[in-house]
């Protein structure tokens, strides 16, 4: 994908983590899942990303644990290789080159050194026929091994990874496709086929969707499209097989999984309910409802304590002992489509777009992690196909991020459109948005554009709709005790033409609304129509004002391959150029404007300043299909690139979504170098999951270490930590029941850790002396303390030369001495 | 794992007046006591003496009522013709009244026969009042004159003939015994000083003046006439301060609330309006059954007495604080407070280990059914009679939710006659409510689809269907009329708006038509 010497287009974030079944390691500490071209390792306890296994050059299509070594994992990919990894240290151990794109991988303990792969049939390369092959992985010391000895096991199998499963102790393998279940016995080298009727009566759809074999008994569970689960038994004869049917799901069964002991069967489908069937009492079942989205895969940890389910909204849920969701790993949700534009939240700098149905997701671009989902529709989502659901179609933030406006709509077949406009206020206390106003049916037809005024004085929202009006909404002044709400301030129109887009100037003093071929410019202060501009033919598709030094320009893209630039001072056309612009996007931090043009099936990008004739950057054939959504995200650290071609990327980064819902961005070489360096810095002890807390603590510790090193010379004696002192060691190792109460010891212990402001050496000695004295006193009877005189030299000089003391007096004195007099010495120092 | 999201019940903005301290204050009166008099009640005057009796002038009598009596404590009937303007002296001992037969009578409140009779006017006397020194009487008459009389000698002191029409209102200054003000049907208000031969100030109300009122400070004068209430600044030589036009018929009477902060005006349009005297905005409004001729407030606003043209006297007493408290006490729920808070206010001690109990979210009954996908039961629950009648928005919201789930048809189907007639009743009651129309029209169509096969089997259902049809037809007609009105208004607005040319530089470029059309903000009505 390298296109230019310096500027590269890179995938950014949001790879699909629900593409294949995740794997939980033997010790249940890590979860591995295929994510795009790498395998991601997550911690099961903290749901944090630990590291990834990089090396494949195409989509990873399967991950399985090595049955002979539980610290290793096999992964297969569409690039035709199987790789063996040490996942704890992210080391690639071996690469086996198969030579065909691989669609899924199966292993069994009984078949050591053999992996079973689903590859396309050799003789029909282009067709959609797949076969299951066994591959002996050769033992050799090389990093890269060719393994081209494929022996076909089953022909004509489904490429879906859930459509095949190993039976009891790897004796047989069951595969389903269409209306057929095929079981291959390795011992007999023989396969049986069982067919079901297509059975259209009573709406039954008998086609198989998935299969799972009981680990201890001869039983195969198959899922069907009509929601039935069949339990096949006695299938080692062709004739006398039996099956029983379980039915709960109302949609297709997406996935089935037996627990390792075979006591339970788990199934999931579109209902997003995890169903937990008891193997022995089949009519008994438990449910775990409302998991958020359709279940696509289920995996169980080898010890059976953790389940994890993958969901269609790019999420992996980890469930503890079948009852409690303990962690959720959420990737960038890519639903059926993105209707809102890509937006940057001014507060969190997160990317905001459609998430789960009826939600907005806040996605941190820097951490490639979903921050949170905001429920916009606030209705129970019914998981059923063919329902018209509410969808969030527009969203906008005001300049400071205090307000969020959303539009949701639901179009019923042959019925009225339902639209709601919602305004959300940011709540500092809960750090999230709270619903302030709901406007039902703000317009009579679809809303085409919605923007907040960028001016800091007034918060004003403008919506344009196909009903021929644009409306301005203002926050009504809150003279009452409760906070204000939003109300319509102005309704404008222009000759009953339909407004398609609108834009505010950078200071909010002008509003331009595109009414088909005519651009109208309004003053939001007085709602006067200032001027109209038009350049027929072609309706206006997108409008934007120039910024900073180019703020006198207004750009409009029309449907008839025209990009126009008007000068607002003279109200005349400055320039126009034939371009089929699908999207105009302004950089909020500079004068630059990015225009995406679609040309002969692919998209081109031009970055330019309205005042300059030559574009700053142009990129032909960016990707196939139209680019519909793009956004400039401000960088948290400015780049200092002086090269002309990369300068436009200095302050902000351009993200865009292609038709295939890939989130791409541009990166420069300097940036990549920096990233590489920082990733090296962040190498941490991976025995512990990397949590933000860990990083914080680690950083803090590192600083402490540095500080100590810096102060080595003057503090030589102090490097020894308090644990080193014998007294404390003794204290810690004495059994608790012989020690005095903790509250008694605590004050003493804490005092021993205090750093007095007097010179370190004396302090140290004093402490040690004190400790020993304590011990002596516990032992009772005092012989003369060898250091007594020494410590007294600074504490009580007048004590010198005192005549022999009585025992009682001596004890008195000692008591006095045990008090800390360091404050006195600090006074003397001053 | 998210929890069940309950059905959203939309909150519709409450129409009507907002609750302000004023509405609370003025609503705090008991239901009115009504007394039928012999004729239109033209004047009501409260005595300033302790029990605060009031004199009601109606027809040829003056009744004096006690503060809580419904029977007159005293009646003066010695009038030959219609009596007017019965007024108490400030000490409450004497009462003066005019009469259509031009004689002014002075009564002792405890006596029956007139103490003094003042003759001199040639036509009916509508205005009488005592001056602040209690020794003189002011009268104003339909013979265009106003006169001052001496009580001890029962002689006429002065006569002013400056007005050119009937004098129908007047008042004396409470601070100066020589100053009084009269208002007349010649549209003027005149201020007289008894020490001077002529009027000292004239103000033009530009409507026949029906009532005048002096503020306690006597710096401001209020006059009512025609549909207007006007306030004049006397200290600035009679400069008009405000002109209020809140009634749509002649304003007949004015009054001030006891603390002087609120001004009340009564009118023939059957309303009493209450104004704030700082900004002169209407803060409250009373409705009465007939046109109002007279209005008076008891000291401390203890009661509001209104006299109407049909001879009905309406008295509203203020609720006493005890009664108010009693009302609140009755509304309190039965279970004892102690049981509710049992253990709630327990403060954990230092070493206690806290086990947090998960907060159990309460779901409404219909939500519980929806959660279990029991759609018919959910609809049944939502259609329970109290909910259907008192909170139709809940029923409609549940229907909407079922429609969203695509199961409304199933929920509506399979109902027996009683159930169906219940449902139809609900539709008849609410389908034309603009808040509910979009949802209920869908439901109605579904019901018609489902039950068209059984039409004609039940007379109850058939009758309801016919009613529903009539209702919808009537509503469609209404909507059509409204759209016509809207069209007319649009034309009017379009002609009244000034046409403004938009600057259009560069005449070479065809710039289209240049004025924007301004739609009326506000909800647009839609045809059902």
């Amino acid at each position: 994908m390298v296109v230019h010497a310096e500027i590269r287009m890179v995938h950014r974030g949001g790879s699909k983590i629900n593409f294949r079944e995740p794997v939980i390691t033997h010790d249940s500490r890590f979860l591995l899942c295929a994510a795009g071209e790498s395998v991601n390792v997550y911690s099961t306890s903290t749901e944090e990303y630990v590291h990834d296994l990089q090396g494949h050059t195409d989509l990873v299509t399967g991950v399985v644990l090595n049955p002979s070594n539980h610290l290793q994992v096999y992964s297969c990919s569409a690039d035709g290789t199987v790789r063996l990894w040490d996942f704890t240290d992210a080391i690639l151990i071996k690469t086996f080159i198969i030579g065909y794109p691989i669609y899924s991988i199966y292993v069994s303990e009984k078949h050591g050194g053999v992996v079973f792969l689903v590859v396309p049939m050799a003789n029909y390369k282009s067709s959609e026929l797949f076969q299951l092959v066994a591959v002996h992985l050769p033992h050799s010391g090389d990093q890269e091994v060719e393994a081209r000895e494929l022996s076909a096991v089953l022909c004509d199998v489904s490429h879906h990874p859930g459509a095949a499963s190993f039976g009891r102790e790897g004796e047989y393998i069951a595969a389903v496709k269409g209306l057929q279940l095929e079981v291959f016995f390795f011992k007999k080298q023989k396969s049986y086929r069982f067919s079901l009727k297509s059975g259209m009566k009573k709406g039954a759809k008998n086609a198989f969707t998935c299969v799972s074999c009981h680990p201890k008994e001869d039983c195969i569970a198959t899922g069907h499209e009509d929601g039935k689960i069949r339990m096949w038994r006695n299938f080692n004869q062709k004739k006398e097989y039996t099956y029983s049917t379980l039915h709960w799901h109302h949609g297709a069964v997406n996935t089935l999984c037996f627990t390792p002991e075979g006591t339970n069967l788990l199934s999931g489908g579109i209902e997003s309910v995890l169903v937990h069937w008891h193997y022995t009492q089949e009519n008994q079942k438990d449910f775990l409802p409302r998991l958020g989205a359709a279940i696509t895969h289920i995996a169980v940890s080898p010890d059976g304590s953790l389940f994890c389910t993958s969901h269609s909204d790019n999420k992996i849920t980890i469930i503890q002992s079948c009852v409690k969701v303990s962690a959720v790993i959420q990737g960038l949700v890519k639903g059926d489509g993105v209707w809102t534009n890509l937006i940057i939240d001014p507060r969190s700098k997160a990317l905001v777009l459609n998430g789960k149905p009826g939600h907005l997701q806040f996605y941190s671009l820097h951490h490639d992690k979903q921050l949170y989902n905001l429920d916009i529709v606030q209705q129970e989502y019914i998981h059923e196909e063919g329902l018209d659901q509410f969808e969030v179609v527009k969203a906008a933030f005001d300049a400071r991020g205090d307000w969020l406006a959303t539009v949701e709509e639901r179009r019923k077949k042959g019925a009225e459109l339902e639209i709601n406009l919602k305004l959300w206020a940011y709540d500092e206390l809960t750090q999230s948005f709270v619903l302030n106003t709901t406007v039902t049916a703000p317009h009579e037809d679809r809303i085409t554009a919605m923007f907040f005024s960028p001016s800091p004085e007034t918060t004003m929202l403008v919506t344009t709709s196909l009903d021929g009006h644009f409306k301005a909404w203002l926050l009504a002044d809150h003279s009452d005790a409760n906070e204000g709400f939003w109300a319509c301030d102005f309704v404008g129109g222009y000759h009953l033409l339909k407004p398609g887009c609108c834009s505010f100037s950078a200071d909010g003093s002008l509003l331009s609304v595109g009414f088909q071929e005519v651009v109208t410019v309004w003053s939001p202060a007085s709602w006067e129509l200032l001027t109209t501009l038009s350049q027929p033919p072609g309706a206006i598709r997108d409008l934007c004002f120039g910024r900073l030094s180019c703020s006198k320009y207004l750009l409009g893209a029309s449907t008839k391959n025209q990009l126009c630039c008007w000068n607002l001072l003279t109200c005349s056309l400055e320039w126009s150029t034939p371009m089929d612009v699908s999207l105009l996007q302004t950089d909020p931090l500079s004068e630059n404007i990015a225009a995406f043009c679609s040309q002969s099936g692919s998209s081109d990008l031009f970055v330019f300043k309205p005042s300059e004739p030559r574009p700053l950057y142009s990129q032909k054939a960016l990707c196939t299909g139209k680019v519909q959504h793009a956004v400039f995200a401000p960088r948290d650290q400015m780049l200092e690139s002086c090269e002309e071609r990369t300068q436009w990327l200095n302050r902000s980064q351009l993200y865009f979504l292609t038709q295939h819902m890939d989130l791409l961005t541009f990166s420069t070489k300097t940036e990549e170098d920096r990233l590489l360096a920082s990733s090296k810095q962040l190498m941490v002890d991976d025995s512990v999951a990397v949590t933000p807390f860990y990083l914080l603590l680690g950083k803090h510790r590192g600083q402490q270490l540095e500080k100590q090193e810096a102060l080595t010379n003057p503090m030589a004696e102090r490097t020894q930590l308090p644990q080193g002192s014998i007294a404390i060691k003794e204290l810690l190792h004495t059994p608790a029941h012989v020690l005095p109460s903790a509250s008694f010891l605590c004050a003493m212990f804490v005092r021993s850790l205090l750093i007095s402001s007097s010179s370190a050496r004396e302090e140290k000695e004093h402490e040690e002396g004190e400790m020993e004295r304590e011990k002596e006193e516990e032992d009772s009877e005092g012989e003369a303390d060898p250091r007594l005189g020494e410590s007294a030299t600074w504490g009580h000089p007048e004590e010198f030369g005192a005549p022999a003391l009585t025992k009682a007096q001596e004890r008195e004195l000692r008591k006095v001495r045990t008090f800390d007099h360091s404050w006195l010495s600090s006074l003397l120092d001053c | 794992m998210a929890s069940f999201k309950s059905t959203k019940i939309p909150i519709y903005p409450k129409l009507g007046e907002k609750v302000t301290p004023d509405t609370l204050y003025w609503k705090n009166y008991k239901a009115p006591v009504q007394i039928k008099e012999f004729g239109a009640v033209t004047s009501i005057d409260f005595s300033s003496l302790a029990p605060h009796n009031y004199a009601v002038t109606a027809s040829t009598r003056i009744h004096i009522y006690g503060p809580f009596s419904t029977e007159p404590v005293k009646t003066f009937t010695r009038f030959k013709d219609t009596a007017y303007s019965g007024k108490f002296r400030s000490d409450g001992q004497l009462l003066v009244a005019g009469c259509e037969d031009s004689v002014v009578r002075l009564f002792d409140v405890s006596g029956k026969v007139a103490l003094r009779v003042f003759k001199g006017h040639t036509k009916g006397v509508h205005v009488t009042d005592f001056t602040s020194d209690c020794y003189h009487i002011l009268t104003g008459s339909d013979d265009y004159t106003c006169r001052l009389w001496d009580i001890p000698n029962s002689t006429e002191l002065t006569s002013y003939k400056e007005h050119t029409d009937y004098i129908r209102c007047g008042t004396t200054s409470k601070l100066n015994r020589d100053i009084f003000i009269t208002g007349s049907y010649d549209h003027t208000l005149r201020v007289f000083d008894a020490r001077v031969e002529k009027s000292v100030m004239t103000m033009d109300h530009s409507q026949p003046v029906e009532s005048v009122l002096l503020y306690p400070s006597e710096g401001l004068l209020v006059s009512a006439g025609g549909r207007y209430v006007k306030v004049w600044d006397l200290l600035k030589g009679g400069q008009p301060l405000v002109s209020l036009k809140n009634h749509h018929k002649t304003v007949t009477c004015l009054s001030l609330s006891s603390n002087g902060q609120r001004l009340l005006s009564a009118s023939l349009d059957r309303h009493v309006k209450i104004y704030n005297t700082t900004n002169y905005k209407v803060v409250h409004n009373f409705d009465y059954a007939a046109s109002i001729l007279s209005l008076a407030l008891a000291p401390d606003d203890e009661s509001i007495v209104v006299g109407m043209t049909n001879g009905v006297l309406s008295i509203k007493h203020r609720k006493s604080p005890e009664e108010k408290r009693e009302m609140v006490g009755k509304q309190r729920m039965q279970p004892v407070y102690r049981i509710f808070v049992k253990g709630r206010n327990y403060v954990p001690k230092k070493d206690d280990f806290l086990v947090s109990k998960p907060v159990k979210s309460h779901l409404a009954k219909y939500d519980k059914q929806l959660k279990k996908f029991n759609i018919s039961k959910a609809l049944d629950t939502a259609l329970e009679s109290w909910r259907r009648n008192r909170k139709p928005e809940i029923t409609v919201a549940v229907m909407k939710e079922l429609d969203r789930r695509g199961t409304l048809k199933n929920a509506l189907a399979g109902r027996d006659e009683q159930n169906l007639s219940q449902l139809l009743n609900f539709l008849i009651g609410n389908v034309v409510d603009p808040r509910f129309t979009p949802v209920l029209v869908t439901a109605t169509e579904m019901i018609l689809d489902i039950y068209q096969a059984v039409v004609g089997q039940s007379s109850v259902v058939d009758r309801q269907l016919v009613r529903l049809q009539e209702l919808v037809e009537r509503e469609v007609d209404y909507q059509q009329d409204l759209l016509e009105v809207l069209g007319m208004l649009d034309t009017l607005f379009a002609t009244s708006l000034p046409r403004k040319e938009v600057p259009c530089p560069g005449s070479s470029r065809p710039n289209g038509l240049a004025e924007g059309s301004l739609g009326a903000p506000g909800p647009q009505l839609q045809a059902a």
Side-chain angles (χ1 to χ4, degrees), chain A residues 126-156:
Chain A
S126 59
S127 75
E128 291 289 303
L129 282 176
F130 300 94
Q131 59 180 350
L132 183 76
V133 295
V135 183
H136 282 271
L137 300 177
H139 292 281
S140 80
D142 296 340
Q143 265 278 331
E144 287 199 14
V145 190
E146 297 243 335
R148 298 201 183 258
E149 286 172 38
L150 316 179
S151 55
V153 179
L154 289 171
C155 289
D156 189 16

Side-chain angles (χ1 to χ4, degrees), chain A residues 30 51-53 71 85-92 683 686-687:
Chain A
F30 296 112
H51 53 244
D52 58 354
L53 315 177
L71 292 176
W85 309 86
D86 177 351
F87 57 80
T88 42
D89 300 322
I91 297 166
L92 177 61
M683 286 286 268
D686 45 13
S687 64

Side-chain angles (χ1 to χ4, degrees), chain B residues 418-430:
Chain B
Q418 196 194 343
N419 252 327
L420 183 61
S421 74
Q422 220 177 52
L423 202 56
L424 285 171
N425 253 336
F426 178 72
L427 290 179
I428 290 166
N430 293 293

Side-chain angles (χ1 to χ4, degrees), chain A residues 72 166 179 226 228 234 242 285 315 340 386 555 718:
Chain A
Q72 290 176 352
F166 270 103
L179 289 163
D226 55 357
K228 287 194 178 109
N234 214 8
T242 58
K285 47 195 178 287
K315 176 174 82 176
T340 65
L555 285 113
R718 279 202 56 82

Side-chain angles (χ1 to χ4, degrees), chain A residues 187-289:
Chain A
K187 219 177 250 172
K188 290 189 253 181
Q189 287 290 315
K190 205 169 163 188
S191 75
Y192 293 117
R193 283 163 185 261
F194 308 97
S195 293
L196 288 172
K197 292 195 193 94
S198 61
M200 286 316 282
K201 62 167 182 194
K202 281 197 263 169
K205 285 181 278 182
N206 277 338
F208 287 96
T209 52
C210 52
V211 64
S212 179
C213 298
H214 196 280
K216 297 277 145 78
E217 287 177 39
D218 281 339
C219 176
I220 300 173
T222 59
H224 298 263
E225 274 191 2
D226 55 357
K228 287 194 178 109
I229 297 168
R230 287 191 168 85
M231 309 288 280
W232 301 74
R233 292 193 178 83
N234 214 8
F235 43 79
N236 29 13
Q237 294 99 353
K238 179 86 184 154
K239 291 274 149 59
E240 290 164 26
Y241 67 91
T242 58
Y243 63 76
S244 57
T245 309
L246 308 173
H247 198 170
W248 181 85
H249 294 276
H250 67 75
V253 181
N254 278 346
T255 176
L256 280 171
C257 185
F258 273 105
T259 53
E261 292 303 313
T263 51
N264 293 307
L265 172 67
L266 307 170
S267 69
I270 190 175
E271 304 87 355
S272 76
V273 179
L274 181 69
V275 188
H276 192 221
W277 308 83
H278 296 266
Y279 180 70
T280 42
Q281 303 131 307
E282 280 172 355
N283 49 3
Q284 215 180 329
K285 47 195 178 287
D286 298 329
F287 304 100
L288 190 63

